[in-house]
Amino acid sequence: MLGRGDSAQRFVVTFASGSFFRLLGVHPALGRFPDTSDAARTHDGAVLSFAAWQRLFGGSASVVGRSLRLGNGSYTIVGVAPSGFRGVDLTAVDAWLPVAAAVHERLSGMTNELDGSMWSVLTRLPRSASPARATSDLSAYFQHLYAARFGTRLEAVVVASLQSIIPGRAQEQTQGARVSLWLAGMSVVVLLIAAINLGNLILAHLAARNQGIAVCLAIGCSRIDIVMQVVCETIILVIGGTGAGLAIALCISGSVRAIVPELSGTGRLIDFRVVAWTTAMAAIAGLGAAILPAVRVARSDSVRQLRVRSSTSDGGRLGVRKGIVIAQIALAFSLTVAAGLFARSLHRIDSLDLGFRTNGILVGTLTGSQAPDREAEASSLLVGVLNRVDALPGVLSASLALTTPVDAGISWPFSVPDAVSPVGPAQRRLVRLNAVTPTYFATMGIHLLQGRSFLESDNVHTRPVAVINEAAARAFWPEGQALGKCIQLDASSAQASVEDACAEIVGVVANTRGLIRQGDPQLEYYAAFSQLNHFPVRASPIVIVRAKFEPEALVGPVRQAMQTIDSSSFATVRSLDEMLDPQRRPWRLGTAVFASLALCALALTGLGLYAVMAYGVVLRSRELGIRLAIGAPPASVLQSVVVRGLGTALWGASIGTPIALLLERVLRSVLFGVEGEDVPTLALATLVVLLISVVASYLPARRASRMDPRTVLQG
């Protein structure tokens, strides 16, 4: 939070050590970056992002040394990051603060406790280092830190995960990285289809100039001159097409940024490296499409071309062009199937049951608050805020919690003294913690399967109670006898005794999944919010609101009600759908871009098929004229041309089907809920290709059916 009171605004900060910028090889746009001497000083070493520097200070060079009022304190600005720098991901950041500031601020629930913080460690491995050895050393070091912090060894197996900071190079690529790589590959396929179409166009153009080229060769023109002329004409087309494509890219860049919000504020509309790469690819594709037809024409027999009519000598080339169109149809068919698979994946994701309600839910978080340190006073203040929010018009219900199923959450070791079945595998000996008020399950739409929810009478003076999820109940009490049993969280140093952490299970709720691709459900432990004195961790509570109507109308009133807890606080209110959006975004992006690529491919294929069918009608004009002259009805001529177009499309779809099936298998890692051959998608893609072929064939067929036999035969 930047500023205080009504003028406060949200300010995104990241905590970084003094070696962060040096490790990444980044140089400041202004001032300097923190070093190790700044690490121990809480209020020194703030680095502004380039965008925040421009927005708040107008790019003034005097910003270095000035104070920045953030959260609970004031920080000295020492430098400005270069334009476009966002750290190791695309998340928009306004400033970087020293790690020591996290202890003072306790922003977003972060504290100086190991159990309450979410940190990432960046390291540069020497070339000789083994990632497996580094992972083993880091894991052992974490066990050592845990033992030093809690006085006991962590029984669960915790393995450090070393991944490249570039998503596409990580051992386990993110869904977004995988989809982006596939989109890049499919864009190359569309470029290939465009190149094939261009080659077909050049062939048709050269066929129309056969007589002129033959005369030129006969009077002494070199064949190199013919090839260079065609190449120069193609270069002009490529330059014009690339320029038009760049203009279109600039026009739609706003739409792309709307789909991928992380791209906003990167400082560039389009990256010049991407422009250079695509221009080079377009040039290679264009020249490749031009050289082969040009060489073929240059090697033709000029004497033979002068003796025969073009219309009777080009039948062989028509077969070549038809083969080219069939290849286009096969590729476009495969892209259409891929777009359909992504659309089906997105539909399954949107209809996926996560175990909780997503629509109509708002989540409010409070930063910069100076709430009382005593738990009783802090709890009373939070309950007062909850009552104000609950009383707002349009609020159906409201509750307090420490986390939502969508958040990363807090995992904690636990034990079950009277479990019927032994504790499961080592990685399942961690339980996901949450502390909630009695209305939480109803607000979130999480179904109560057994027992009861929390009551107002569950407080610090009564025995600790807990609600677990179905996965935890089945793991330790397969017979369904979890109610009344005891579950113990491993005590931290803040707890007086382990016995205080033993809670009676009073209810079992349905499993939830905060990750779309989550496998087995996590073990979940819910504590009563009023019994936080038994909780082993500290975190900032959040307010969850279920709206009666449109939740967007409640964002302002809920924020205002939350900020009454402290004039120095700043409340951020977001919908749960918005919080889930980053997970859904790869499939939405994939569906949108694959559909766009498929439409481009189908349009290019349709134009190519139209050109071939129109040229075929010209070559068959005498044959069709004779048929009309001897009494053939025009409808039969129209039908014969359309049937030829359908036959070409069927050939393309037949060749494209095994390609699409292979593509479906390869794409399975980025799809969701698609298993086996998706026959409906294949059928729909076939129908689309056939419809395109009918439309592309109809115009030449209509022209053929209306030709005048006398004019054709006399010509």
Side-chain angles (χ1 to χ4, degrees), residues 195-285:
I196 292 173
N197 223 3
L198 179 61
N200 216 353
L201 174 66
I202 294 171
L203 274 175
H205 181 59
L206 292 176
R209 295 168 55 194
N210 271 344
Q211 295 286 316
I213 292 173
V215 170
C216 184
L217 291 172
I219 64 176
C221 295
S222 71
R223 298 181 184 272
I224 295 295
D225 292 338
I226 302 296
V227 172
M228 292 306 298
Q229 181 181 355
V230 175
V231 170
C232 289
E233 292 173 352
T234 305
I235 289 175
I236 294 174
L237 288 175
V238 169
I239 292 174
T242 304
L246 181 59
I248 294 172
L250 287 170
C251 291
I252 66 173
S253 61
S255 301
V256 174
R257 289 168 186 267
I259 299 175
V260 188
E262 291 89 347
L263 293 177
S264 60
T266 53
R268 298 180 187 139
L269 285 176
I270 296 179
D271 194 295
F272 73 92
R273 294 167 295 183
V274 176
V275 173
W277 184 85
T278 51
T279 302
M281 292 294 294
I284 292 171

Side-chain angles (χ1 to χ4, degrees), residues 248-333:
I248 294 172
L250 287 170
C251 291
I252 66 173
S253 61
S255 301
V256 174
R257 289 168 186 267
I259 299 175
V260 188
E262 291 89 347
L263 293 177
S264 60
T266 53
R268 298 180 187 139
L269 285 176
I270 296 179
D271 194 295
F272 73 92
R273 294 167 295 183
V274 176
V275 173
W277 184 85
T278 51
T279 302
M281 292 294 294
I284 292 171
L287 292 175
I291 290 175
L292 293 180
V295 170
R296 179 174 177 176
V297 170
R299 288 181 176 178
S300 61
D301 188 348
S302 60
V303 177
R304 181 174 178 272
Q305 292 296 330
L306 288 171
R307 289 178 177 175
V308 299
R309 295 177 59 182
S310 175
S311 61
T312 60
S313 66
D314 208 39
R317 287 202 184 113
L318 178 62
V320 173
R321 270 176 243 156
K322 191 173 290 187
I324 290 174
V325 169
I326 288 174
Q328 284 182 280
I329 294 173
L331 293 175
F333 177 82

Side-chain angles (χ1 to χ4, degrees), residues 32 34 38 41-48 63-70 73-79 96-98:
R32 65 176 179 86
D38 298 306
R41 294 196 292 269
T42 302
H43 298 288
D44 288 343
V47 176
L48 284 179
V63 69
V64 176
R66 294 175 64 173
S67 294
L68 192 68
R69 183 79 178 190
L70 281 175
S74 188
Y75 298 88
T76 302
I77 300 171
V78 298
W96 288 265
L97 299 182

